[in-house]
Amino acid sequence: MTPQRTLATAGRVLSQVRHDPRTIVLLLVVPSLLIGLLAWIFSDTPVFATIGPGMIALFPFIVMFLVTSITTLRERRTGTLERLLSMPLGKGDLILGYTLAFGLLAVAQSAVAVGFAVWVCGLQISGSIWLLLAVAVADAVLGTTLGLLASAFARTEFQVVQFMPALVFPQILLGGIFLPRDQLPDALRAISDWLPLSHAIDALQAVATDTQDAAYIGGELLIIGAWIVGAVVLGSVTLRRRTP
Amino acid sequence: MVNSSSPAVNVTDLHVRRGKHPVLHGLSVSVPRGVVVGLLGPSGCGKTTLMRTIVGVQVVQSGTVTVLGHEAGSASLRHRVGYVTQDASVYDDLTVRQNLQYFRAVLGAPRRDVDRVLALTDLTSQAGQLVGSLSGGQRSRVSLAGALLGSPDLLVLDEPTVGLDPLLRVELWTLFHQLAAVGTSLLVSSHVMDEASRCDRLLLMRDGEILADDTPAGLLAATGAEDTEGAFLALIRRHPHPDGSLRDSSDGNPS
């Protein structure tokens, strides 16, 4: 594994995306539109103030999961992965290259979503907007790495799309948006404590209401970071140079 | 440094199964250095599996495969073996040049190598086009160009001339011989028998086994046939299946 090969891979993935302007527009605009729709739905109620921060975590996470898992699956299916693995490319170069490229896109996407939520939809953020952005970006990178991992277990595009409801929806349902996590049944509460999206949503709500100190946010970021590292390592392990 | 007169590829008693289906059962073969070796046989006979094994991307059950003096698939070979898969393995949403620039960076080859392989494969005027907008023959040439980067010592080309017009095929075979003349070893598969006469040496394969390993002239002399296709049929008649059929057990048809 070398920095040159990792960066070349990230650059290559970004060039591929650059040749697809429609994807870029969808990537940057769709989360904001959905957040705007929510703000409109709940315009005369206090609900948006409560669930708005969680939504900032949700949409980049889902979109990044989908985009990454499909792109990497395509690489497996078109033979380019076989070619790369017969070349001196480290498995880590590939996974980290993808993480870097989509991580950069995630930064842009989260920045647009946060900006839209705060300045257009009037979401009240009492804490630091930079901390909010940091959590949102970590969350989108998490979506990227889980998408990379999911693509290893899918043989077809149909399968990989099914991983979205399988891996992502439970995290949304248990994450505290539908029902605050402390009101969940004990068993579900315990499960939700282990899921990364719960911590992302907790952290975003804490920043929005400014009820916790930076150390708490840092702790939540660490948990998300651990999931990111775990998914990258597992993704590298499941990548095999020799296939049956 | 390994003795340069040792074969480029040496395969001994190779067993490979893909899925539940045994593809290669005890295959032994060697590919000499610095010549163009044709691997011919009906589709489904195991050509691709043998090539994947040599490149080191195939899980094998048993047997030894030595490439340029090293175990197939070892890290030191990844700079030295160029591989072109049957379907062009290139990025459709990048330009020709961007594809090659990426593969060059992965290989660590010098920057000017991109222009060199573009010229070799006659793609210089298409360099700025998206690969997805090219014709099938052009796409497979981009794939080939990628394998030429870094001037590998061994080129493993799986049906590189499929879908190319006759003129381009002649040009590519000329290129293969130019590469062999400067010391590159080439293993080129084809299911088109009339390409056999362009090879320095032939491996005829059927149903996971090597039927013949000879020069084109030697093969014709040994079988008394007029062309390679006739030679292949003569060999099949000499080595019938246990059930007496001439046909390959797979979907392939030798004629």
Side-chain angles (χ1 to χ4, degrees), chain A:
Chain A
M1 220 180 103
T2 68
Q4 292 91 320
R5 292 192 175 109
T6 305
L7 289 175
T9 304
R12 185 263 296 172
V13 174
L14 286 174
S15 313
Q16 284 180 283
V17 176
R18 215 178 57 217
H19 285 295
D20 187 358
R22 197 175 300 173
T23 293
I24 299 178
V25 171
L26 287 171
L27 220 55
L28 294 182
V29 171
V30 168
S32 299
L33 287 180
L34 290 172
I35 290 169
L37 180 64
L38 264 176
W40 193 9
I41 291 173
F42 294 113
S43 42
D44 293 326
T45 70
V47 176
F48 184 65
T50 331
I51 63 166
M55 289 299 146
I56 291 175
L58 217 53
F59 295 128
F61 178 72
I62 295 175
V63 172
M64 280 305 170
F65 179 90
L66 267 181
V67 170
T68 318
S69 55
I70 291 176
T71 319
T72 33
L73 183 74
R74 203 173 51 171
E75 177 121 55
R76 286 173 200 269
R77 280 168 62 77
T78 53
T80 46
L81 186 66
E82 178 168 307
R83 165 173 229 148
L84 292 177
L85 292 179
S86 76
M87 289 163 75
L89 185 78
K91 293 189 271 185
D93 287 324
L94 189 81
I95 301 276
L96 275 183
Y98 264 101
T99 310
L100 264 178
F102 284 119
L104 270 177
L105 287 174
V107 171
Q109 188 189 49
S110 300
V112 172
V114 167
F116 189 83
V118 172
W119 287 302
V120 180
C121 304
L123 185 66
Q124 284 292 322
I125 301 296
S126 312
S128 154
I129 199 145
W130 293 108
L131 261 182
L132 190 79
L133 187 62
V135 179
V137 168
D139 198 38
V141 173
L142 175 71
T144 296
T145 53
L146 287 182
L148 275 169
L149 185 58
S151 79
F153 297 100
R155 293 269 169 277
T156 65
E157 282 83 353
F158 289 135
Q159 288 177 7
V160 83
V161 171
Q162 297 306 321
F163 273 114
M164 222 271 285
L167 290 179
V168 174
F169 278 20
Q171 296 197 52
I172 299 173
L173 294 175
L174 298 175
I177 292 178
F178 285 86
L179 188 69
R181 291 205 300 125
D182 51 16
Q183 296 173 28
L184 288 171
D186 286 347
L188 292 181
R189 168 80 214 254
I191 293 171
S192 79
D193 276 342
W194 285 94
L195 299 176
L197 196 63
S198 310
H199 294 279
I201 293 170
D202 282 358
L204 287 172
Q205 277 168 348
V207 176
T209 53
D210 205 11
T211 46
Q212 304 278 354
D213 56 5
Y216 169 83
I217 312 287
E220 299 290 61
L221 275 175
L222 268 181
I223 295 174
I224 301 169
W227 270 86
I228 292 174
V229 172
V232 165
V233 170
L234 259 180
S236 303
V237 171
T238 53
L239 205 58
R240 296 251 174 258
R241 283 191 195 271
R242 286 181 186 271
T243 47

